[in-house]
Amino acid sequence: MIEYHKNKINNKNSIPNNLSVEENLTSNLYLRDYYLKDFKYISPDEVNLNKPKIINKDVEKPVVTETRQQPKSTVELWAIELMKGLKQFFYQGSLHGVKYIFEPTFSAKERWTWIVIMIISMIVFSVIMIQLFCKWTSTPFVNVIDSVPTPIWAVPFPTVVICPHLHVKMSYANISELKGKISQNLCCSSLQEFFASMVCPRMTNDKKFLDTRLDQSEIIKFKDFIMQASPTCGDIIKACNWPAKHAAYWETDRCCELFQPIFTNYGLCYAFNSLPLNAMTNDTLSWQKSFSDNAKPAALEWDLDTGYPKVFPPDLTMKPFRVMASGESNGLSVELFLNDSEHQLDCEGNSLGFTVLISSPTDHVYTSTVLRLPMDRMTTIEVTPLTYKTDYSLRSVSAYKRQCFFQNEKKLQYYMFYTDSNCKHDMLVREARKMCNCVLFNWPTKVEEQLIYAYYAESEDERGTRHESRSCHPSCNDIIYASQVFYSDLTKDLENSSHKWGKLRPGEVTQINVHFYDDMFLGQHRHAQYDDFYFVGAIGGLLSLFLGFSIISVAELVFFVLLRPFYLVFRERRH
């Protein structure tokens, strides 16, 4: 058919020499349902121009005269141009394989072959996309080891809690004389036996309970019993050395300024490098003052999320304390004394010595790394910190998905800092209050609470509490400490040791040194597994691999489906 038009037009000399007939014809985009460039593949019988359209042969160039039609509405014109734009996008766009479905020279079998190929490609693409999306939603972050080591002066020195295996001194109360004196009238000796059963490890199996709750005066007596029966800080700590304060000499008079009393599962203990109020909230102030007259709240310039102020050289007197270097000479050294004449077999059993708890300053001391200190030994504890940090960008991810909490996302009733151990213990205390309206004597209480610090008989069967909580995810930024312990013998010449209070008997003295193992350490970093750019790049790569889709394809789709139809309809209505 093209040849026919060629001959007809060339005979009338209507086409310039520098323009071929094919170029002149293809300058018009459409002729009915076909592109003019495809006419050389289509027979005249299929096109059948003589029915709806005729070519005027009396003019110098081919002119297509359309039959008159009724005016169409804007929506109809839009739909027509939209379909034309879609057809042109699929046929002339950059998508792979789609144009073969609309290829006029292909048979039906060939077109169906390409349809199947495209369907398979889209199915594979969809499966991979679903897997990628599931992985992105199920594991939004990954933990990796830091590429740059962290200096130890960027993290706090651990809290060291010293607990003597001496809960009731013989000079205060003789446990063997108190045993068996409990009576129904609750005389003084029976109350003291009940109090002793709450703190003595050897008496925990006796299951001594009262028939009534303690009144306020009896609660005060219980507090006084614990404070007077337990050894004081000066009774057990005779010498110490903290390089940031004492340089190279041993302090013998003011060691207790570095330690503050704290209640633990091991009774009344003394903590070094503990935060103000032992990292508990201000609501526990009245409870704190029941065993520490110097307890008072104080502001901190450090927290888990932001760390220390970015100042160098660091301020070593800032709470919590830190050190500049590793090694024994840069750690905490303490000489401990335990008067074995105060030891009672009926209270402590055969255990003699100290328990040491190593924990982060932000964690409570009810569950910590527990170490036993034997007497007449030098115990060396090498500590290695491990930090967990989380990218700030993960704050936009819900805590349920990232499986951790930032400090401002979840507040606890009794603890100032959020950690998973603090959260669990905080919930345990609240569940105990809910079940029996009571708490253990060594658990924190709030200012307005007047609770019993002991068990009582009527609550014995109601004391079931939850020890685990699904909502207590770890802290997004946290510090934990791993430790190695080494022992060595002390000198037998006790008269020449660092203390100044006379001759000691064997089995009454022990020493401890806690220090960092190395000057640097590698922490762990939690970051998004797929950030926005990575996820968009992964989607774009899959689209390009299976469909040949790109940003240019988006531009073509917008142009052929939106911009061009809108322009043509607007021009048609304007004329």
Side-chain angles (χ1 to χ4, degrees):
M1 184 175 181
I2 295 293
E3 296 298 330
Y4 168 78
H5 285 294
K6 261 191 202 179
N7 297 333
K8 197 70 176 173
I9 294 173
N10 287 337
N11 290 337
K12 294 190 177 184
N13 298 322
S14 58
I15 303 297
N17 293 330
N18 61 347
L19 184 63
S20 66
V21 178
E22 291 89 348
E23 292 174 346
N24 186 56
L25 288 175
T26 54
S27 62
N28 295 320
L29 289 177
Y30 293 101
L31 188 61
R32 290 186 56 198
D33 297 331
Y34 299 92
Y35 298 103
L36 295 183
K37 67 172 188 165
D38 296 328
F39 278 4
K40 56 185 175 181
Y41 303 113
I42 305 173
S43 64
D45 295 335
E46 182 180 354
V47 179
N48 202 1
L49 295 176
N50 294 326
K51 289 183 180 180
K53 304 176 185 179
I54 59 173
I55 297 179
N56 192 341
K57 302 178 181 179
D58 298 328
V59 294
E60 295 183 352
K61 58 173 62 176
V63 177
V64 178
T65 304
E66 298 184 359
T67 58
R68 288 185 173 273
Q69 297 180 356
Q70 294 295 330
K72 294 182 174 63
S73 65
T74 303
V75 175
E76 291 176 334
L77 287 174
W78 173 268
I80 293 172
E81 296 299 336
L82 180 63
M83 295 306 297
K84 290 180 179 179
L86 279 173
K87 185 175 181 180
Q88 193 168 3
F89 168 73
F90 287 126
Y91 189 70
Q92 290 185 321
S94 59
L95 292 182
H96 296 172
V98 179
K99 61 182 178 181
Y100 298 127
I101 300 175
F102 299 91
E103 178 60 49
T105 61
F106 281 12
S107 64
K109 292 182 179 180
E110 292 174 318
R111 293 184 183 182
W112 274 108
T113 300
W114 278 103
I115 290 175
V116 172
I117 292 174
M118 293 303 300
I119 291 175
I120 294 174
S121 179
M122 294 179 67
I123 291 175
V124 175
F125 165 76
S126 301
V127 170
I128 297 178
M129 269 301 303
I130 292 174
Q131 293 177 348
L132 179 64
F133 182 78
C134 291
K135 188 174 182 180
W136 178 59
T137 54
S138 61
T139 55
F141 64 87
V142 292
N143 288 332
V144 297
I145 298 177
D146 290 340
S147 58
V148 178
T150 303
I152 57 173
W153 51 260
V155 297
F157 194 81
T159 296
V160 181
V161 183
I162 300 175
C163 304
H165 292 180
L166 183 60
H167 297 86
V168 180
K169 296 182 292 186
M170 175 72 78
S171 59
Y172 180 77
N174 191 325
I175 300 300
S176 61
E177 294 179 358
L178 292 177
K179 273 192 170 185
K181 290 184 178 181
I182 191 167
S183 61
Q184 294 182 353
N185 57 4
L186 295 179
C187 65
C188 178
S189 61
S190 63
L191 268 180
Q192 282 194 333
E193 184 185 11
F194 174 74
F195 295 159
S197 68
M198 298 302 301
V199 297
C200 289
R202 190 70 177 267
M203 300 177 67
T204 54
N205 295 327
D206 293 345
K207 296 185 177 180
K208 298 184 180 298
F209 300 102
L210 300 179
D211 294 329
T212 59
R213 290 177 179 266
L214 296 176
D215 57 28
Q216 188 61 32
S217 63
E218 291 170 339
I219 292 177
I220 295 176
K221 290 180 180 178
F222 183 39
K223 294 179 182 178
D224 293 340
F225 177 87
I226 296 175
M227 297 303 299
Q228 295 176 22
S230 302
T232 64
C233 177
D235 290 337
I236 61 174
I237 299 177
K238 295 304 181 180
C240 64
N241 174 259
W242 177 244
K245 189 172 184 179
H246 305 136
Y249 70 91
W250 282 72
E251 174 64 43
T252 57
D253 296 325
R254 305 174 64 182
C255 287
C256 289
E257 294 180 358
L258 297 175
F259 292 83
Q260 60 186 65
I262 184 173
F263 270 130
T264 72
N265 291 337
Y266 302 93
L268 185 63
C269 304
Y270 300 92
F272 170 80
N273 201 29
S274 181
L275 297 179
L277 299 183
N278 297 307
M280 297 182 187
T281 60
N282 294 343
D283 292 338
T284 64
L285 181 59
S286 62
W287 174 75
Q288 303 266 357
K289 284 186 173 296
S290 66
F291 56 85
S292 177
D293 295 333
N294 297 325
K296 60 181 179 180
L300 291 175
E301 298 183 54
W302 172 90
D303 64 22
L304 281 174
D305 286 346
T306 60
Y308 288 101
K310 304 301 185 289
V311 177
F312 193 86
D315 182 6
L316 300 182
T317 62
M318 181 185 300
K319 280 280 190 133
F321 296 144
R322 48 183 167 166
V323 294
M324 291 294 294
S326 61
E328 291 190 31
S329 59
N330 295 291
L332 172 69
S333 297
V334 183
E335 186 174 65
L336 302 172
F337 167 75
L338 193 63
N339 189 352
D340 61 358
S341 64
E342 297 281 9
H343 181 269
Q344 300 189 71
L345 184 65
D346 292 328
C347 180
E348 314 296 339
N350 295 322
S351 176
L352 185 65
F354 292 86
T355 296
V356 175
L357 310 178
I358 306 293
S359 67
S360 170
T362 58
D363 281 333
H364 70 78
V365 294
Y366 297 96
T367 54
S368 306
T369 301
V370 180
L371 303 172
R372 305 291 186 183
L373 297 188
M375 305 307 292
D376 293 334
R377 288 291 190 92
M378 172 66 184
T379 303
T380 302
I381 304 176
E382 291 184 341
V383 178
T384 301
L386 177 61
T387 58
Y388 292 93
K389 300 178 182 178
T390 302
D391 279 347
Y392 186 83
S393 59
L394 284 177
R395 284 183 178 268
S396 59
V397 181
S398 65
Y400 173 77
K401 289 184 178 180
R402 76 171 110 91
Q403 296 289 295
C404 69
F405 287 106
F406 288 97
Q407 291 301 308
N408 61 348
E409 290 182 329
K410 189 171 183 178
K411 298 298 182 181
L412 304 178
Q413 287 190 15
Y414 299 99
Y415 294 100
M416 182 168 55
F417 290 92
Y418 177 86
T419 64
D420 57 337
S421 59
N422 286 354
C423 176
K424 291 175 183 178
H425 193 262
D426 188 89
M427 180 167 288
L428 181 61
V429 175
R430 289 187 282 114
E431 286 292 321
R433 288 189 56 207
K434 179 180 177 181
M435 297 297 295
C436 66
N437 194 28
C438 67
V439 293
L440 286 175
F441 72 92
N442 55 355
W443 284 0
T445 57
K446 299 172 70 173
V447 175
E448 69 276 6
E449 295 173 339
Q450 296 295 333
L451 302 178
I452 298 176
Y453 303 128
Y455 291 126
Y456 57 95
E458 66 182 22
S459 66
E460 183 178 359
D461 296 330
E462 299 293 335
R463 213 174 296 120
T465 57
R466 291 185 301 178
H467 294 269
E468 297 291 336
S469 172
R470 295 181 180 178
S471 63
C472 287
H473 300 308
S475 174
C476 290
N477 299 289
D478 203 357
I479 307 171
I480 62 175
Y481 297 88
S483 58
Q484 301 181 74
V485 184
F486 305 92
Y487 299 100
S488 59
D489 293 331
L490 286 178
T491 177
K492 302 300 182 181
D493 185 10
L494 299 178
E495 292 183 353
N496 297 326
S497 58
S498 60
H499 56 78
K500 62 178 183 179
W501 21 267
K503 185 176 181 179
L504 299 175
R505 292 176 296 179
E508 290 187 333
V509 175
T510 186
Q511 290 186 4
I512 180 177
N513 177 272
V514 183
H515 62 270
F516 281 124
Y517 173 73
D518 200 355
D519 293 336
M520 311 287 282
F521 67 94
L522 289 175
Q524 292 192 15
H525 191 82
R526 184 185 288 112
H527 64 84
Q529 183 171 1
Y530 300 108
D531 57 17
D532 295 339
F533 297 103
Y534 186 93
F535 194 67
V536 171
I539 295 175
L542 291 174
L543 286 171
S544 177
L545 177 64
F546 290 98
L547 301 175
F549 194 86
S550 64
I551 295 297
I552 301 301
S553 302
V554 177
E556 291 174 348
L557 184 63
V558 172
F559 175 78
F560 287 117
V561 177
L562 294 178
L563 299 181
R564 192 171 185 278
F566 176 79
Y567 170 74
L568 293 176
V569 171
F570 176 77
R571 187 182 65 178
E572 180 69 20
R573 286 305 177 193
R574 188 175 182 183
H575 292 290

